[in-house]
Amino acid sequence: MSSVSNKVTWWDATSTAGPAVSELAGNLIVAWRGNQNSRNLTVANVIGSSGGLSGTTLRSTVLADASDHAPSLSRILTVRYTVQLAWAGINGAHSLNAADLGVNTSSWQLTGQIVGRALVAGDSVSATSGPVWTGGGAGDVNRLGVLDQSSRSVLIEETGDLVFGAPSTSDFIVDARGPAQALATDNGETLWAWTASDGALTFALVRPGFPLPTAVVRSAQASGFGPSSIEPAYPGGPLCVAWTGIDGTGALNVAALNVDAIRNGTDPISAVYTLPETSSAAPALLHRPFLRTLAIFWTGTDGAGTLNACDVQL
């Protein structure tokens, strides 16, 4: 039976957008936009509880940088053992930014320092959404995805640490409400997920070496925001996605994806677990291999936008 456990509410962390999460050798890090209606970005180490969630606190650093949208944290370390943060700036061009966050390799926690930064693609991309890091899996490349000034889905490949190629427009991710998430599957395909402008969760599978997907499938499920990252439920388990519903309360939902259904052109979501929690923004999902758990992070609907997290059992 599906359930939630190990919940934590970080009362000192609030946001009007969803959080970003990553993990370093079992140590969680979280990033979000603002506290108490500020636009400044904050990054934090999750402290305590032997890697669990309940009873943890945040050791936070408020950055001088700011955004109107949620930031994104990369899932892989750079060659310099840093973690990358990406965000849409608040300058007139709403430029896309990326920075290397310093990591203490003894504790595998953030130092709170920015040790490198870059303006991604110059001012050629004016972001109208927060970015997402995609790829980074075996045989895949690290990319930033974002909606540009023309509401096109733009992908920018990282060719080296904070070195980015020219932006390219997706040939199949069109009419999107936000940037697309992606994950390389076990057989080398890339599974894409995004929210269409009418709210429908949409999925596509792309084979290696092919520019277009074998199928694009619209689900019966819908959201007012983009979906979470695609994560395995447990090692070797089904791939999962989370989203905030359009039921009027912002109920959080998690579902396993049937990848074969996408190949056959049918809805990959057949069973939905609706959490006893609500959110005012897009959630973040994270598979934690060190603990063999699946965790969800969200902005609450308590009026302050307090950040929460818990484990999900499907």
Side-chain angles (χ1 to χ4, degrees), residues 69 128-130 146-148 151-153 173-180 193-202 221-227 244-246 282:
H69 306 282
T128 57
S129 73
V146 71
L147 290 187
D148 71 0
S151 297
R152 297 172 301 186
S153 180
I173 305 172
V174 295
D175 197 29
R177 183 166 285 181
W194 67 95
T195 300
S197 61
D198 62 358
L201 296 186
T202 309
Q221 307 301 322
S223 178
F225 309 97
T244 299
I246 54 173

Side-chain angles (χ1 to χ4, degrees), residues 39-289:
R39 294 192 291 181
N40 284 81
L41 299 176
T42 301
V43 296
N45 295 293
V46 178
I47 305 299
S49 195
S50 300
L53 291 168
S54 180
T56 58
T57 59
L58 299 178
R59 187 170 66 223
S60 305
T61 300
V62 180
L63 305 178
D65 300 282
S67 181
D68 289 322
H69 306 282
S72 181
L73 284 167
S74 65
R75 297 297 184 85
I76 57 174
L77 288 170
T78 69
V79 293
R80 294 196 298 156
Y81 294 103
T82 60
V83 172
Q84 293 185 313
L85 178 74
W87 69 95
I90 59 172
N91 60 324
H94 297 287
S95 302
L96 194 59
N97 295 265
D100 281 347
L101 304 177
V103 173
N104 182 328
T105 53
S106 296
S107 62
W108 293 110
Q109 293 182 353
L110 298 179
T111 64
Q113 302 296 314
I114 289 180
V115 295
R117 60 170 65 232
L119 192 63
V120 180
D123 287 331
S124 62
V125 175
S126 184
T128 57
S129 73
V132 296
W133 289 102
T134 68
D140 200 4
V141 296
N142 215 25
R143 291 172 294 230
L144 277 174
V146 71
L147 290 187
D148 71 0
Q149 60 269 32
S150 300
S151 297
R152 297 172 301 186
S153 180
V154 174
L155 297 172
I156 307 166
E157 182 177 331
E158 187 175 25
T159 58
D161 183 22
L162 295 178
V163 179
F164 296 87
S168 61
T169 303
S170 169
D171 293 326
F172 61 91
I173 305 172
V174 295
D175 197 29
R177 183 166 285 181
Q181 301 282 351
L183 181 72
T185 64
D186 290 340
N187 63 359
E189 294 171 305
T190 300
L191 174 59
W192 292 89
W194 67 95
T195 300
S197 61
D198 62 358
L201 296 186
T202 309
F203 302 91
L205 275 171
V206 179
R207 290 181 293 173
F210 288 80
L212 296 177
T214 54
V216 176
V217 176
R218 287 166 53 88
S219 173
Q221 307 301 322
S223 178
F225 309 97
S228 73
S229 58
I230 305 166
E231 301 285 328
Y234 47 84
L239 299 179
C240 299
V241 69
W243 68 96
T244 299
I246 54 173
D247 58 347
T249 66
L252 286 172
N253 303 276
V254 181
L257 298 174
N258 183 338
V259 177
D260 285 333
I262 301 174
R263 295 188 182 100
N264 295 329
T266 58
D267 194 337
I269 298 176
S270 58
V272 177
Y273 173 50
T274 300
L275 282 66
E277 306 289 348
T278 57
S279 179
S280 59
L285 205 60
L286 181 69
H287 168 57
R288 307 190 64 193

